[in-house]
Amino acid sequence: MKDSAINDQAREVLQGYMARNGLKSTAQRDTIMEAFFGSHEHVAIGDLHRMVLRKNPRIGYATVYRTLKMLTECGLAVERHFGDGQARYEPQRRGEHHDHLICRACGLIVEFENEEIERLQREVAAQHGFRVESHRHEMHGLCPRCQKAPPRRR
Amino acid sequence: MKDSAINDQAREVLQGYMARNGLKSTAQRDTIMEAFFGSHEHVAIGDLHRMVLRKNPRIGYATVYRTLKMLTECGLAVERHFGDGQARYEPQRRGEHHDHLICRACGLIVEFENEEIERLQREVAAQHGFRVESHRHEMHGLCPRCQKAPPRRR
DNA sequence: CTCATTGCAAATAATTTGCATGTAA
DNA sequence: TTACATGCAAATTATTTGCAATGAG
């Protein structure tokens, strides 16, 4: 058993989900998931496809698309839209939060975490009687570099 | 001067922006902006186009698109992506925040505001040297009603 | 064997652009 | 008059689907 970017917990969730839905394990899915969970980025499908092609040049875009869809359905991936016209995905690791600072000039994305904000969020949700399952928190503006330099696209 | 959905402050921002950029005021833009600022919803371009057609059936989709783009650039509108494949826009009124609780079952959207969270946000941004221009904060989950009732689409 | 999966190409869908014509300033 | 703006249609871009061939269980 070689080491893998997919941790045991994710593997378990996945196996349960696939078993329950009669899905099959394939070499393509393994390759795609390996690449996906190995990336720290917010990957777009196209990026991931390119990464995957280096491992197996015969994997189609649609397969990457469908695999990400599957991961999203079983909760192992989260789909995000940052405003350029394409969806991005990131691995959902339990207990981690992925809040973002996004530079509108160069596209830089910085992740941050703030437990106090999380706590206040839960409070607000409670006030409205909501049961929260996930959240998204983004701030858009200019990163330090683009505040000085005449902003140029990454 | 007939009454209008566009408030004085917005009008001022707009006029400044147009003057500075050599843009011209047109009947189409007025119609579109009237409809846009009159709507409380998160409107998609298609929706807005449909609304606008009732006032002037000759206005094209592209004009609505370009007007919204302009409003976004001068900060009077905010573009959002909720995950269905289309962008939605909402009027940006200064001092108002548009944070959302979103029910995944019935689609209910509740707006909330929390000054303490805002403050912490500014703090986080400062730590990373970002100059923040706007933000988005959404919590997704189940509203009180859908926690009980077998959730059915709105 | 049986049915899910794959790769390809084609279909959708939403957004964006080119351009001839119209129009505000 | 001179740019900018408009409407249309066409181009782009991203996503999604149909289907015959393939492969997992």
Side-chain angles (χ1 to χ4, degrees):
Chain A
M1 176 103 7
K2 67 167 194 292
D3 81 333
S4 154
I6 309 174
N7 68 45
D8 294 343
Q9 184 182 321
R11 201 179 297 278
E12 198 175 304
V13 169
L14 188 63
Q15 287 178 354
Y17 179 80
M18 296 184 82
R20 240 174 300 121
N21 293 81
L23 306 182
K24 291 170 182 175
S25 158
T26 69
Q28 289 93 326
R29 283 180 178 166
D30 289 348
T31 304
I32 294 164
M33 292 191 293
E34 204 56 52
F36 177 62
F37 288 109
S39 86
H40 276 211
E41 304 284 322
H42 311 82
V43 285
I45 295 186
D47 301 336
L48 197 54
H49 185 217
R50 249 167 273 123
M51 296 167 62
V52 148
L53 283 181
R54 290 201 290 269
K55 283 287 177 182
N56 175 352
R58 300 197 33 64
I59 292 181
Y61 181 98
T63 301
V64 177
Y65 163 77
R66 287 186 277 229
T67 300
L68 246 15
K69 200 103 206 181
M70 179 188 79
L71 291 176
T72 301
E73 282 196 12
C74 71
L76 291 176
V78 183
E79 182 180 335
R80 297 181 175 284
H81 297 257
F82 289 114
D84 59 342
Q86 73 197 300
R88 288 164 187 284
Y89 295 80
E90 62 181 302
Q92 175 73 296
R93 299 186 184 87
R94 261 183 46 141
E96 279 185 32
H97 296 295
H98 293 274
D99 295 337
H100 300 102
L101 277 158
I102 302 164
C103 179
R104 70 160 159 75
C106 71
L108 173 70
I109 299 178
V110 175
E111 303 200 343
F112 71 90
E113 216 173 311
N114 185 305
E115 183 45 45
E116 181 63 5
I117 291 180
E118 304 294 329
R119 194 184 62 69
L120 287 165
Q121 273 181 183
R122 288 193 292 273
E123 208 167 273
V124 168
Q127 281 162 17
H128 290 273
F130 261 69
R131 177 187 305 157
V132 172
E133 295 168 344
S134 69
H135 73 269
R136 154 204 277 178
H137 192 163
E138 296 166 15
M139 289 186 262
H140 296 258
L142 287 178
C143 71
R145 190 168 72 86
C146 291
Q147 285 172 41
K148 313 187 172 137
R152 92 194 81 128
R153 290 264 149 209
R154 40 160 125 236
Chain B
M1 175 105 2
K2 68 167 195 289
D3 81 333
S4 154
I6 309 173
N7 67 46
D8 294 343
Q9 184 183 322
R11 201 178 298 277
E12 198 175 304
V13 170
L14 189 62
Q15 287 179 352
Y17 179 80
M18 296 184 84
R20 239 175 300 118
N21 293 80
L23 307 182
K24 291 169 182 174
S25 158
T26 69
Q28 290 92 327
R29 283 180 177 165
D30 289 347
T31 304
I32 294 164
M33 292 190 293
E34 204 56 51
F36 176 62
F37 288 109
S39 86
H40 277 210
E41 303 285 323
H42 311 81
V43 286
I45 295 187
D47 300 336
L48 196 53
H49 184 217
R50 248 165 274 124
M51 295 167 63
V52 149
L53 283 181
R54 290 201 290 268
K55 283 286 177 182
N56 175 350
R58 299 197 33 65
I59 293 180
Y61 181 98
T63 301
V64 178
Y65 164 77
R66 287 186 277 228
T67 300
L68 247 14
K69 201 102 205 180
M70 179 189 79
L71 292 176
T72 301
E73 282 195 13
C74 69
L76 291 176
V78 183
E79 182 181 334
R80 297 181 175 286
H81 296 257
F82 288 113
D84 58 344
Q86 73 196 299
R88 288 164 188 284
Y89 295 81
E90 63 180 301
Q92 176 73 296
R93 298 185 185 86
R94 259 185 46 142
E96 280 186 30
H97 297 295
H98 293 274
D99 296 338
H100 299 105
L101 277 158
I102 301 166
C103 178
R104 71 160 161 76
C106 71
L108 173 70
I109 299 178
V110 175
E111 304 202 342
F112 71 90
E113 216 173 311
N114 184 305
E115 183 45 44
E116 181 63 5
I117 292 179
E118 304 295 327
R119 195 184 62 69
L120 287 165
Q121 274 181 183
R122 287 193 292 275
E123 208 167 273
V124 168
Q127 280 162 17
H128 291 274
F130 260 70
R131 176 187 306 156
V132 172
E133 295 168 344
S134 69
H135 73 268
R136 156 206 278 178
H137 192 161
E138 294 166 14
M139 290 187 260
H140 296 259
L142 287 178
C143 71
R145 190 169 71 86
C146 292
Q147 285 173 41
K148 314 188 172 133
R152 91 194 83 129
R153 290 266 148 206
R154 37 159 126 237

